[in-house]
mmCIF file of all heavy atoms in Angstrom:
data_model
loop_
_atom_site.group_PDB
_atom_site.id
_atom_site.type_symbol
_atom_site.label_atom_id
_atom_site.label_comp_id
_atom_site.label_asym_id
_atom_site.label_seq_id
_atom_site.Cartn_x
_atom_site.Cartn_y
_atom_site.Cartn_z
ATOM 1 N N GLY P 1 147.510 10.202 7.541
ATOM 2 C CA GLY P 1 146.983 9.893 8.870
ATOM 3 C C GLY P 1 146.182 11.031 9.441
ATOM 4 O O GLY P 1 145.120 10.835 10.038
ATOM 5 N N ALA P 2 146.681 12.250 9.250
ATOM 6 C CA ALA P 2 145.965 13.416 9.770
ATOM 7 C C ALA P 2 144.617 13.576 9.102
ATOM 8 O O ALA P 2 143.613 13.883 9.746
ATOM 9 C CB ALA P 2 146.813 14.674 9.559
ATOM 10 N N VAL P 3 144.568 13.360 7.795
ATOM 11 C CA VAL P 3 143.294 13.477 7.071
ATOM 12 C C VAL P 3 142.312 12.419 7.523
ATOM 13 O O VAL P 3 141.107 12.661 7.666
ATOM 14 C CB VAL P 3 143.531 13.386 5.547
ATOM 15 C CG1 VAL P 3 142.209 13.269 4.801
ATOM 16 C CG2 VAL P 3 144.319 14.600 5.069
ATOM 17 N N CYS P 4 142.832 11.199 7.772
ATOM 18 C CA CYS P 4 141.944 10.110 8.200
ATOM 19 C C CYS P 4 141.347 10.388 9.576
ATOM 20 O O CYS P 4 140.167 10.133 9.824
ATOM 21 C CB CYS P 4 142.715 8.788 8.243
ATOM 22 S SG CYS P 4 143.147 8.154 6.602
ATOM 23 N N PHE P 5 142.178 10.891 10.474
ATOM 24 C CA PHE P 5 141.693 11.112 11.839
ATOM 25 C C PHE P 5 140.961 12.425 12.001
ATOM 26 O O PHE P 5 140.088 12.555 12.833
ATOM 27 C CB PHE P 5 142.867 11.037 12.829
ATOM 28 C CG PHE P 5 143.310 9.640 13.135
ATOM 29 C CD1 PHE P 5 144.444 9.134 12.532
ATOM 30 C CD2 PHE P 5 142.578 8.837 13.988
ATOM 31 C CE1 PHE P 5 144.853 7.832 12.803
ATOM 32 C CE2 PHE P 5 142.978 7.549 14.262
ATOM 33 C CZ PHE P 5 144.121 7.043 13.664
ATOM 34 N N PHE P 6 141.304 13.425 11.213
ATOM 35 C CA PHE P 6 140.692 14.747 11.330
ATOM 36 C C PHE P 6 140.241 15.227 9.958
ATOM 37 O O PHE P 6 140.869 16.095 9.344
ATOM 38 C CB PHE P 6 141.677 15.762 11.930
ATOM 39 C CG PHE P 6 142.250 15.329 13.240
ATOM 40 C CD1 PHE P 6 143.572 14.953 13.348
ATOM 41 C CD2 PHE P 6 141.451 15.286 14.366
ATOM 42 C CE1 PHE P 6 144.088 14.555 14.570
ATOM 43 C CE2 PHE P 6 141.962 14.892 15.591
ATOM 44 C CZ PHE P 6 143.287 14.518 15.691
ATOM 45 N N PRO P 7 139.158 14.661 9.408
ATOM 46 C CA PRO P 7 138.691 15.031 8.079
ATOM 47 C C PRO P 7 138.392 16.516 7.996
ATOM 48 O O PRO P 7 137.915 17.114 8.952
ATOM 49 C CB PRO P 7 137.394 14.200 7.925
ATOM 50 C CG PRO P 7 137.512 13.114 8.931
ATOM 51 C CD PRO P 7 138.317 13.671 10.060
ATOM 52 N N LEU P 8 138.669 17.077 6.821
ATOM 53 C CA LEU P 8 138.415 18.501 6.610
ATOM 54 C C LEU P 8 136.938 18.810 6.765
ATOM 55 O O LEU P 8 136.085 18.079 6.273
ATOM 56 C CB LEU P 8 138.879 18.911 5.204
ATOM 57 C CG LEU P 8 140.397 18.826 4.953
ATOM 58 C CD1 LEU P 8 140.690 19.188 3.505
ATOM 59 C CD2 LEU P 8 141.165 19.724 5.904
ATOM 60 N N GLY P 9 136.640 19.921 7.459
ATOM 61 C CA GLY P 9 135.254 20.367 7.591
ATOM 62 C C GLY P 9 134.518 19.746 8.756
ATOM 63 O O GLY P 9 133.362 20.050 8.986
ATOM 64 N N ILE P 10 135.151 18.829 9.483
ATOM 65 C CA ILE P 10 134.498 18.167 10.611
ATOM 66 C C ILE P 10 135.123 18.677 11.904
ATOM 67 O O ILE P 10 136.340 18.690 12.058
ATOM 68 C CB ILE P 10 134.645 16.627 10.524
ATOM 69 C CG1 ILE P 10 134.054 16.117 9.210
ATOM 70 C CG2 ILE P 10 133.991 15.968 11.720
ATOM 71 C CD1 ILE P 10 132.577 16.391 9.064
ATOM 72 N N THR P 11 134.280 19.086 12.833
ATOM 73 C CA THR P 11 134.808 19.601 14.095
ATOM 74 C C THR P 11 135.485 18.496 14.880
ATOM 75 O O THR P 11 135.101 17.321 14.808
ATOM 76 C CB THR P 11 133.681 20.196 14.956
ATOM 77 O OG1 THR P 11 134.274 20.675 16.173
ATOM 78 C CG2 THR P 11 132.614 19.176 15.314
ATOM 79 N N THR P 12 136.517 18.841 15.638
ATOM 80 C CA THR P 12 137.218 17.871 16.478
ATOM 81 C C THR P 12 137.026 18.214 17.947
ATOM 82 O O THR P 12 137.814 17.823 18.790
ATOM 83 C CB THR P 12 138.726 17.868 16.140
ATOM 84 O OG1 THR P 12 139.258 19.169 16.399
ATOM 85 C CG2 THR P 12 138.956 17.495 14.697
ATOM 86 N N ALA P 13 135.957 18.950 18.252
ATOM 87 C CA ALA P 13 135.752 19.436 19.620
ATOM 88 C C ALA P 13 135.019 18.437 20.507
ATOM 89 O O ALA P 13 134.479 18.797 21.528
ATOM 90 C CB ALA P 13 134.976 20.746 19.581
ATOM 91 N N GLY P 14 135.014 17.155 20.120
ATOM 92 C CA GLY P 14 134.324 16.167 20.927
ATOM 93 C C GLY P 14 132.904 15.949 20.455
ATOM 94 O O GLY P 14 132.482 16.447 19.423
ATOM 95 N N LYS P 15 132.140 15.161 21.247
ATOM 96 C CA LYS P 15 130.762 14.883 20.882
ATOM 97 C C LYS P 15 129.955 16.174 20.804
ATOM 98 O O LYS P 15 130.182 17.113 21.555
ATOM 99 C CB LYS P 15 130.126 13.952 21.911
ATOM 100 C CG LYS P 15 130.757 12.568 21.968
ATOM 101 C CD LYS P 15 129.943 11.660 22.877
ATOM 102 C CE LYS P 15 129.880 12.189 24.293
ATOM 103 N NZ LYS P 15 129.116 11.291 25.189
ATOM 104 N N VAL P 16 128.973 16.175 19.893
ATOM 105 C CA VAL P 16 128.141 17.367 19.728
ATOM 106 C C VAL P 16 127.447 17.714 21.041
ATOM 107 O O VAL P 16 127.376 18.892 21.433
ATOM 108 C CB VAL P 16 127.098 17.149 18.615
ATOM 109 C CG1 VAL P 16 126.193 18.357 18.497
ATOM 110 C CG2 VAL P 16 127.788 16.886 17.287
ATOM 111 N N SER P 17 126.946 16.711 21.745
ATOM 112 C CA SER P 17 126.216 16.968 22.997
ATOM 113 C C SER P 17 127.096 17.619 24.058
ATOM 114 O O SER P 17 126.597 18.301 24.952
ATOM 115 C CB SER P 17 125.620 15.668 23.542
ATOM 116 O OG SER P 17 126.637 14.715 23.812
ATOM 117 N N ASP P 18 128.422 17.429 23.954
ATOM 118 C CA ASP P 18 129.328 18.057 24.917
ATOM 119 C C ASP P 18 129.419 19.558 24.702
ATOM 120 O O ASP P 18 129.926 20.284 25.565
ATOM 121 C CB ASP P 18 130.734 17.458 24.794
ATOM 122 C CG ASP P 18 130.798 16.016 25.265
ATOM 123 O OD1 ASP P 18 129.877 15.602 26.000
ATOM 124 O OD2 ASP P 18 131.744 15.304 24.888
ATOM 125 N N ARG P 19 128.921 20.035 23.561
ATOM 126 C CA ARG P 19 128.971 21.462 23.237
ATOM 127 C C ARG P 19 127.605 22.114 23.436
ATOM 128 O O ARG P 19 127.382 23.241 23.008
ATOM 129 C CB ARG P 19 129.449 21.637 21.797
ATOM 130 C CG ARG P 19 130.867 21.109 21.576
ATOM 131 C CD ARG P 19 131.111 20.687 20.141
ATOM 132 N NE ARG P 19 130.919 21.790 19.226
ATOM 133 C CZ ARG P 19 130.696 21.629 17.915
ATOM 134 N NH1 ARG P 19 130.601 20.412 17.400
ATOM 135 N NH2 ARG P 19 130.541 22.687 17.138
ATOM 136 N N VAL P 20 126.708 21.408 24.095
ATOM 137 C CA VAL P 20 125.345 21.889 24.338
ATOM 138 C C VAL P 20 125.112 21.941 25.840
ATOM 139 O O VAL P 20 125.559 21.058 26.584
ATOM 140 C CB VAL P 20 124.314 20.952 23.664
ATOM 141 C CG1 VAL P 20 122.899 21.373 24.013
ATOM 142 C CG2 VAL P 20 124.513 20.953 22.149
ATOM 143 N N TYR P 21 124.414 22.976 26.300
ATOM 144 C CA TYR P 21 124.154 23.160 27.732
ATOM 145 C C TYR P 21 122.810 22.532 28.120
ATOM 146 O O TYR P 21 121.771 22.954 27.639
ATOM 147 C CB TYR P 21 124.140 24.645 28.083
ATOM 148 C CG TYR P 21 125.482 25.313 27.947
ATOM 149 C CD1 TYR P 21 125.928 25.791 26.722
ATOM 150 C CD2 TYR P 21 126.315 25.466 29.053
ATOM 151 C CE1 TYR P 21 127.166 26.414 26.590
ATOM 152 C CE2 TYR P 21 127.554 26.085 28.943
ATOM 153 C CZ TYR P 21 127.972 26.546 27.695
ATOM 154 O OH TYR P 21 129.193 27.157 27.577
ATOM 155 N N TYR P 22 122.860 21.556 29.021
ATOM 156 C CA TYR P 22 121.653 20.921 29.544
ATOM 157 C C TYR P 22 121.344 21.380 30.965
ATOM 158 O O TYR P 22 120.244 21.165 31.454
ATOM 159 C CB TYR P 22 121.792 19.398 29.523
ATOM 160 C CG TYR P 22 121.648 18.792 28.146
ATOM 161 C CD1 TYR P 22 122.728 18.754 27.263
ATOM 162 C CD2 TYR P 22 120.433 18.256 27.721
ATOM 163 C CE1 TYR P 22 122.600 18.199 25.999
ATOM 164 C CE2 TYR P 22 120.300 17.694 26.471
ATOM 165 C CZ TYR P 22 121.383 17.669 25.609
ATOM 166 O OH TYR P 22 121.252 17.125 24.359
ATOM 167 N N SER P 23 122.313 21.963 31.626
ATOM 168 C CA SER P 23 122.121 22.457 32.993
ATOM 169 C C SER P 23 123.263 23.398 33.327
ATOM 170 O O SER P 23 124.246 23.501 32.587
ATOM 171 C CB SER P 23 122.076 21.297 33.994
ATOM 172 O OG SER P 23 123.323 20.614 34.017
ATOM 173 N N GLY P 24 123.103 24.076 34.478
ATOM 174 C CA GLY P 24 124.151 24.965 34.947
ATOM 175 C C GLY P 24 124.926 24.335 36.079
ATOM 176 O O GLY P 24 124.825 23.136 36.343
ATOM 177 N N SER P 25 125.668 25.163 36.777
ATOM 178 C CA SER P 25 126.509 24.691 37.863
ATOM 179 C C SER P 25 125.683 24.188 39.036
ATOM 180 O O SER P 25 124.705 24.822 39.447
ATOM 181 C CB SER P 25 127.422 25.825 38.335
ATOM 182 O OG SER P 25 128.049 25.486 39.553
ATOM 183 N N LYS P 26 126.080 23.059 39.580
ATOM 184 C CA LYS P 26 125.410 22.505 40.753
ATOM 185 C C LYS P 26 125.711 23.310 42.008
ATOM 186 O O LYS P 26 125.050 23.164 43.027
ATOM 187 C CB LYS P 26 125.841 21.044 40.967
ATOM 188 C CG LYS P 26 125.531 20.111 39.818
ATOM 189 C CD LYS P 26 124.046 20.043 39.509
ATOM 190 C CE LYS P 26 123.755 19.060 38.389
ATOM 191 N NZ LYS P 26 122.325 19.062 38.001
ATOM 192 N N GLU P 27 126.719 24.175 41.922
ATOM 193 C CA GLU P 27 127.090 25.001 43.063
ATOM 194 C C GLU P 27 126.535 26.424 42.961
ATOM 195 O O GLU P 27 126.770 27.257 43.847
ATOM 196 C CB GLU P 27 128.618 25.085 43.192
ATOM 197 C CG GLU P 27 129.287 23.801 43.671
ATOM 198 C CD GLU P 27 129.326 22.722 42.606
ATOM 199 O OE1 GLU P 27 129.668 23.056 41.455
ATOM 200 O OE2 GLU P 27 129.005 21.569 42.922
ATOM 201 N N SER P 28 125.795 26.708 41.896
ATOM 202 C CA SER P 28 125.354 28.087 41.649
ATOM 203 C C SER P 28 124.232 28.534 42.591
ATOM 204 O O SER P 28 124.058 29.727 42.845
ATOM 205 C CB SER P 28 124.876 28.236 40.203
ATOM 206 O OG SER P 28 123.682 27.486 39.992
ATOM 207 N N GLY P 29 123.437 27.580 43.077
ATOM 208 C CA GLY P 29 122.275 27.926 43.892
ATOM 209 C C GLY P 29 121.149 28.514 43.062
ATOM 210 O O GLY P 29 120.185 29.061 43.617
ATOM 211 N N ARG P 30 121.253 28.385 41.736
ATOM 212 C CA ARG P 30 120.270 28.996 40.834
ATOM 213 C C ARG P 30 119.544 27.942 39.992
ATOM 214 O O ARG P 30 120.082 26.872 39.693
ATOM 215 C CB ARG P 30 120.958 29.978 39.878
ATOM 216 C CG ARG P 30 121.638 31.151 40.566
ATOM 217 C CD ARG P 30 122.436 31.985 39.560
ATOM 218 N NE ARG P 30 123.115 33.105 40.199
ATOM 219 C CZ ARG P 30 122.594 34.321 40.319
ATOM 220 N NH1 ARG P 30 121.388 34.573 39.823
ATOM 221 N NH2 ARG P 30 123.264 35.284 40.907
ATOM 222 N N VAL P 31 118.318 28.267 39.620
ATOM 223 C CA VAL P 31 117.567 27.511 38.619
ATOM 224 C C VAL P 31 117.013 28.527 37.621
ATOM 225 O O VAL P 31 116.922 29.712 37.923
ATOM 226 C CB VAL P 31 116.409 26.695 39.241
ATOM 227 C CG1 VAL P 31 116.943 25.638 40.181
ATOM 228 C CG2 VAL P 31 115.424 27.613 39.949
#
């Protein structure tokens, strides 16, 4: 079961896009 759900060599950190920065904090006051 563990191998099926978490194949070796594959990240389990969520979607790839969730690990990429598209913007900063909305409270930062910065651009």
Side-chain angles (χ1 to χ4, degrees):
V3 170
C4 289
F5 282 102
F6 305 109
L8 294 177
I10 302 298
T11 180
T12 61
K15 295 188 299 181
V16 177
S17 60
D18 291 341
R19 297 154 60 200
V20 175
Y21 293 84
Y22 285 83
S23 64
S25 168
K26 300 300 182 185
E27 288 74 45
S28 67
R30 298 173 181 268
V31 296

